[in-house]
PDB file of all heavy atoms in Angstrom:
ATOM      1  N   ARG A1002      71.506  58.370 145.336  1.00 47.00           N
ATOM      2  CA  ARG A1002      71.623  59.155 144.120  1.00 47.00           C
ATOM      3  C   ARG A1002      70.329  59.872 143.857  1.00 47.00           C
ATOM      4  O   ARG A1002      70.334  61.049 143.322  1.00 47.00           O
ATOM      5  CB  ARG A1002      71.931  58.143 142.973  1.00 47.00           C
ATOM      6  CG  ARG A1002      72.221  58.908 141.598  1.00 47.00           C
ATOM      7  CD  ARG A1002      72.591  57.866 140.535  1.00 47.00           C
ATOM      8  NE  ARG A1002      72.874  58.483 139.261  1.00 47.00           N
ATOM      9  CZ  ARG A1002      73.046  57.843 138.090  1.00 47.00           C
ATOM     10  NH1 ARG A1002      73.108  56.494 138.146  1.00 47.00           N
ATOM     11  NH2 ARG A1002      73.294  58.516 137.019  1.00 47.00           N
ATOM     12  N   TYR A1003      69.240  59.264 144.071  1.00 44.00           N
ATOM     13  CA  TYR A1003      67.909  59.833 143.670  1.00 44.00           C
ATOM     14  C   TYR A1003      66.974  60.017 144.858  1.00 44.00           C
ATOM     15  O   TYR A1003      65.775  60.413 144.680  1.00 44.00           O
ATOM     16  CB  TYR A1003      67.164  59.031 142.663  1.00 44.00           C
ATOM     17  CG  TYR A1003      67.860  58.853 141.360  1.00 44.00           C
ATOM     18  CD1 TYR A1003      68.272  57.635 140.847  1.00 44.00           C
ATOM     19  CD2 TYR A1003      68.249  59.991 140.589  1.00 44.00           C
ATOM     20  CE1 TYR A1003      68.896  57.526 139.643  1.00 44.00           C
ATOM     21  CE2 TYR A1003      68.892  59.953 139.370  1.00 44.00           C
ATOM     22  CZ  TYR A1003      69.265  58.621 138.920  1.00 44.00           C
ATOM     23  OH  TYR A1003      69.870  58.562 137.715  1.00 44.00           O
ATOM     24  N   SER A1004      67.462  59.850 146.069  1.00 54.00           N
ATOM     25  CA  SER A1004      66.587  60.031 147.262  1.00 54.00           C
ATOM     26  C   SER A1004      67.349  60.425 148.460  1.00 54.00           C
ATOM     27  O   SER A1004      68.496  60.025 148.752  1.00 54.00           O
ATOM     28  CB  SER A1004      65.830  58.726 147.493  1.00 54.00           C
ATOM     29  OG  SER A1004      64.981  58.939 148.616  1.00 54.00           O
ATOM     30  N   ALA A1005      66.718  61.307 149.285  1.00 47.00           N
ATOM     31  CA  ALA A1005      67.295  61.785 150.555  1.00 47.00           C
ATOM     32  C   ALA A1005      66.322  61.527 151.630  1.00 47.00           C
ATOM     33  O   ALA A1005      65.160  62.073 151.574  1.00 47.00           O
ATOM     34  CB  ALA A1005      67.699  63.262 150.477  1.00 47.00           C
ATOM     35  N   MET A1006      66.606  60.696 152.628  1.00 54.00           N
ATOM     36  CA  MET A1006      65.619  60.367 153.620  1.00 54.00           C
ATOM     37  C   MET A1006      65.736  61.363 154.804  1.00 54.00           C
ATOM     38  O   MET A1006      66.309  61.127 155.813  1.00 54.00           O
ATOM     39  CB  MET A1006      65.930  58.925 154.232  1.00 54.00           C
ATOM     40  CG  MET A1006      65.595  57.860 153.184  1.00 54.00           C
ATOM     41  SD  MET A1006      63.856  57.827 152.701  1.00 54.00           S
ATOM     42  CE  MET A1006      63.842  58.606 151.135  1.00 54.00           C
ATOM     43  N   ILE A1007      65.186  62.555 154.502  1.00 61.00           N
ATOM     44  CA  ILE A1007      65.092  63.653 155.460  1.00 61.00           C
ATOM     45  C   ILE A1007      63.613  63.812 155.859  1.00 61.00           C
ATOM     46  O   ILE A1007      62.655  63.373 155.124  1.00 61.00           O
ATOM     47  CB  ILE A1007      65.699  64.917 154.841  1.00 61.00           C
ATOM     48  CG1 ILE A1007      65.054  65.211 153.527  1.00 61.00           C
ATOM     49  CG2 ILE A1007      67.150  64.810 154.696  1.00 61.00           C
ATOM     50  CD1 ILE A1007      65.523  66.487 152.895  1.00 61.00           C
ATOM     51  N   PRO A1008      63.333  64.458 157.001  1.00 72.00           N
ATOM     52  CA  PRO A1008      61.867  64.600 157.360  1.00 72.00           C
ATOM     53  C   PRO A1008      60.993  65.120 156.275  1.00 72.00           C
ATOM     54  O   PRO A1008      59.888  64.645 156.163  1.00 72.00           O
ATOM     55  CB  PRO A1008      61.951  65.579 158.562  1.00 72.00           C
ATOM     56  CG  PRO A1008      63.387  65.408 159.055  1.00 72.00           C
ATOM     57  CD  PRO A1008      64.199  65.132 157.889  1.00 72.00           C
ATOM     58  N   GLU A1009      61.416  66.077 155.500  1.00 72.00           N
ATOM     59  CA  GLU A1009      60.577  66.744 154.496  1.00 72.00           C
ATOM     60  C   GLU A1009      60.215  65.677 153.448  1.00 72.00           C
ATOM     61  O   GLU A1009      59.074  65.681 152.896  1.00 72.00           O
ATOM     62  CB  GLU A1009      61.295  67.843 153.771  1.00 72.00           C
ATOM     63  CG  GLU A1009      61.386  69.097 154.692  1.00 72.00           C
ATOM     64  CD  GLU A1009      62.519  68.974 155.650  1.00 72.00           C
ATOM     65  OE1 GLU A1009      63.270  68.044 155.684  1.00 72.00           O
ATOM     66  OE2 GLU A1009      62.639  69.913 156.572  1.00 72.00           O
ATOM     67  N   VAL A1010      61.051  64.711 153.140  1.00 70.00           N
ATOM     68  CA  VAL A1010      60.834  63.732 152.130  1.00 70.00           C
ATOM     69  C   VAL A1010      59.732  62.765 152.699  1.00 70.00           C
ATOM     70  O   VAL A1010      58.797  62.435 152.070  1.00 70.00           O
ATOM     71  CB  VAL A1010      62.061  62.915 151.727  1.00 70.00           C
ATOM     72  CG1 VAL A1010      61.680  61.738 150.841  1.00 70.00           C
ATOM     73  CG2 VAL A1010      62.977  63.813 150.907  1.00 70.00           C
ATOM     74  N   TYR A1011      59.929  62.324 153.982  1.00 79.00           N
ATOM     75  CA  TYR A1011      58.978  61.450 154.576  1.00 79.00           C
ATOM     76  C   TYR A1011      57.560  62.067 154.633  1.00 79.00           C
ATOM     77  O   TYR A1011      56.653  61.477 154.411  1.00 79.00           O
ATOM     78  CB  TYR A1011      59.427  61.052 155.995  1.00 79.00           C
ATOM     79  CG  TYR A1011      60.464  60.010 155.994  1.00 79.00           C
ATOM     80  CD1 TYR A1011      61.793  60.261 156.631  1.00 79.00           C
ATOM     81  CD2 TYR A1011      60.332  58.709 155.450  1.00 79.00           C
ATOM     82  CE1 TYR A1011      62.699  59.266 156.660  1.00 79.00           C
ATOM     83  CE2 TYR A1011      61.379  57.829 155.514  1.00 79.00           C
ATOM     84  CZ  TYR A1011      62.541  58.070 156.105  1.00 79.00           C
ATOM     85  OH  TYR A1011      63.548  57.117 156.129  1.00 79.00           O
ATOM     86  N   GLY A1012      57.615  63.404 155.070  1.00 81.00           N
ATOM     87  CA  GLY A1012      56.371  64.040 155.159  1.00 81.00           C
ATOM     88  C   GLY A1012      55.598  64.299 153.824  1.00 81.00           C
ATOM     89  O   GLY A1012      54.405  64.013 153.759  1.00 81.00           O
ATOM     90  N   GLU A1013      56.385  64.653 152.819  1.00 77.00           N
ATOM     91  CA  GLU A1013      55.703  64.885 151.511  1.00 77.00           C
ATOM     92  C   GLU A1013      55.239  63.530 150.931  1.00 77.00           C
ATOM     93  O   GLU A1013      54.153  63.527 150.292  1.00 77.00           O
ATOM     94  CB  GLU A1013      56.712  65.540 150.549  1.00 77.00           C
ATOM     95  CG  GLU A1013      56.960  67.028 150.903  1.00 77.00           C
ATOM     96  CD  GLU A1013      55.746  67.914 150.827  1.00 77.00           C
ATOM     97  OE1 GLU A1013      54.858  67.679 150.125  1.00 77.00           O
ATOM     98  OE2 GLU A1013      55.672  68.868 151.635  1.00 77.00           O
ATOM     99  N   LYS A1014      56.010  62.513 151.200  1.00 80.00           N
ATOM    100  CA  LYS A1014      55.553  61.186 150.740  1.00 80.00           C
ATOM    101  C   LYS A1014      54.314  60.735 151.471  1.00 80.00           C
ATOM    102  O   LYS A1014      53.397  60.215 150.874  1.00 80.00           O
ATOM    103  CB  LYS A1014      56.621  60.096 150.978  1.00 80.00           C
ATOM    104  CG  LYS A1014      56.293  58.733 150.421  1.00 80.00           C
ATOM    105  CD  LYS A1014      57.461  57.769 150.683  1.00 80.00           C
ATOM    106  CE  LYS A1014      57.037  56.337 150.141  1.00 80.00           C
ATOM    107  NZ  LYS A1014      58.110  55.352 150.306  1.00 80.00           N
ATOM    108  N   GLY A1015      54.227  61.042 152.766  1.00 85.00           N
ATOM    109  CA  GLY A1015      52.948  60.749 153.559  1.00 85.00           C
ATOM    110  C   GLY A1015      51.818  61.480 152.963  1.00 85.00           C
ATOM    111  O   GLY A1015      50.724  60.842 152.730  1.00 85.00           O
ATOM    112  N   TRP A1016      51.922  62.791 152.624  1.00 85.00           N
ATOM    113  CA  TRP A1016      50.782  63.443 152.083  1.00 85.00           C
ATOM    114  C   TRP A1016      50.342  62.894 150.666  1.00 85.00           C
ATOM    115  O   TRP A1016      49.244  62.814 150.309  1.00 85.00           O
ATOM    116  CB  TRP A1016      51.094  64.969 151.901  1.00 85.00           C
ATOM    117  CG  TRP A1016      51.066  65.700 153.237  1.00 85.00           C
ATOM    118  CD1 TRP A1016      52.100  66.372 153.784  1.00 85.00           C
ATOM    119  CD2 TRP A1016      49.960  65.861 154.083  1.00 85.00           C
ATOM    120  NE1 TRP A1016      51.692  66.918 154.989  1.00 85.00           N
ATOM    121  CE2 TRP A1016      50.332  66.688 155.218  1.00 85.00           C
ATOM    122  CE3 TRP A1016      48.668  65.450 154.017  1.00 85.00           C
ATOM    123  CZ2 TRP A1016      49.498  67.004 156.236  1.00 85.00           C
ATOM    124  CZ3 TRP A1016      47.761  65.742 155.123  1.00 85.00           C
ATOM    125  CH2 TRP A1016      48.185  66.461 156.141  1.00 85.00           C
ATOM    126  N   SER A1017      51.461  62.517 149.889  1.00 80.00           N
ATOM    127  CA  SER A1017      51.153  61.964 148.629  1.00 80.00           C
ATOM    128  C   SER A1017      50.391  60.632 148.707  1.00 80.00           C
ATOM    129  O   SER A1017      49.420  60.463 147.979  1.00 80.00           O
ATOM    130  CB  SER A1017      52.492  61.765 147.844  1.00 80.00           C
ATOM    131  OG  SER A1017      52.262  61.164 146.560  1.00 80.00           O
ATOM    132  N   LEU A1018      50.773  59.870 149.734  1.00 83.00           N
ATOM    133  CA  LEU A1018      50.078  58.589 149.873  1.00 83.00           C
ATOM    134  C   LEU A1018      48.615  58.775 150.345  1.00 83.00           C
ATOM    135  O   LEU A1018      47.740  58.083 149.938  1.00 83.00           O
ATOM    136  CB  LEU A1018      50.812  57.699 150.915  1.00 83.00           C
ATOM    137  CG  LEU A1018      52.172  57.140 150.355  1.00 83.00           C
ATOM    138  CD1 LEU A1018      53.016  56.597 151.544  1.00 83.00           C
ATOM    139  CD2 LEU A1018      51.968  56.058 149.330  1.00 83.00           C
ATOM    140  N   LEU A1019      48.441  59.769 151.241  1.00 88.00           N
ATOM    141  CA  LEU A1019      47.046  60.058 151.785  1.00 88.00           C
ATOM    142  C   LEU A1019      46.166  60.552 150.683  1.00 88.00           C
ATOM    143  O   LEU A1019      44.942  60.238 150.701  1.00 88.00           O
ATOM    144  CB  LEU A1019      47.155  61.137 152.879  1.00 88.00           C
ATOM    145  CG  LEU A1019      47.496  60.648 154.271  1.00 88.00           C
ATOM    146  CD1 LEU A1019      47.492  61.840 155.213  1.00 88.00           C
ATOM    147  CD2 LEU A1019      46.556  59.595 154.777  1.00 88.00           C
ATOM    148  N   SER A1020      46.717  61.219 149.686  1.00 81.00           N
ATOM    149  CA  SER A1020      45.822  61.761 148.635  1.00 81.00           C
ATOM    150  C   SER A1020      45.652  60.809 147.470  1.00 81.00           C
ATOM    151  O   SER A1020      44.824  61.066 146.620  1.00 81.00           O
ATOM    152  CB  SER A1020      46.547  63.013 148.055  1.00 81.00           C
ATOM    153  OG  SER A1020      47.726  62.706 147.363  1.00 81.00           O
ATOM    154  N   SER A1021      46.220  59.572 147.557  1.00 76.00           N
ATOM    155  CA  SER A1021      46.018  58.652 146.476  1.00 76.00           C
ATOM    156  C   SER A1021      44.900  57.656 146.684  1.00 76.00           C
ATOM    157  O   SER A1021      43.830  57.731 146.112  1.00 76.00           O
ATOM    158  CB  SER A1021      47.399  57.906 146.261  1.00 76.00           C
ATOM    159  OG  SER A1021      47.804  57.317 147.343  1.00 76.00           O
ATOM    160  N   ALA A1022      45.002  56.685 147.610  1.00 79.00           N
ATOM    161  CA  ALA A1022      44.004  55.741 147.779  1.00 79.00           C
ATOM    162  C   ALA A1022      44.094  55.113 149.149  1.00 79.00           C
ATOM    163  O   ALA A1022      45.197  55.209 149.853  1.00 79.00           O
ATOM    164  CB  ALA A1022      44.096  54.590 146.754  1.00 79.00           C
TER     165      ALA A1022
END
Side-chain angles (χ1 to χ4, degrees):
R1002 187 176 180 186
Y1003 297 123
S1004 181
M1006 291 297 100
I1007 54 178
E1009 289 78 7
V1010 170
Y1011 284 122
E1013 290 300 327
K1014 184 178 180 182
W1016 285 120
S1017 179
L1018 290 165
L1019 279 180
S1020 66
S1021 53

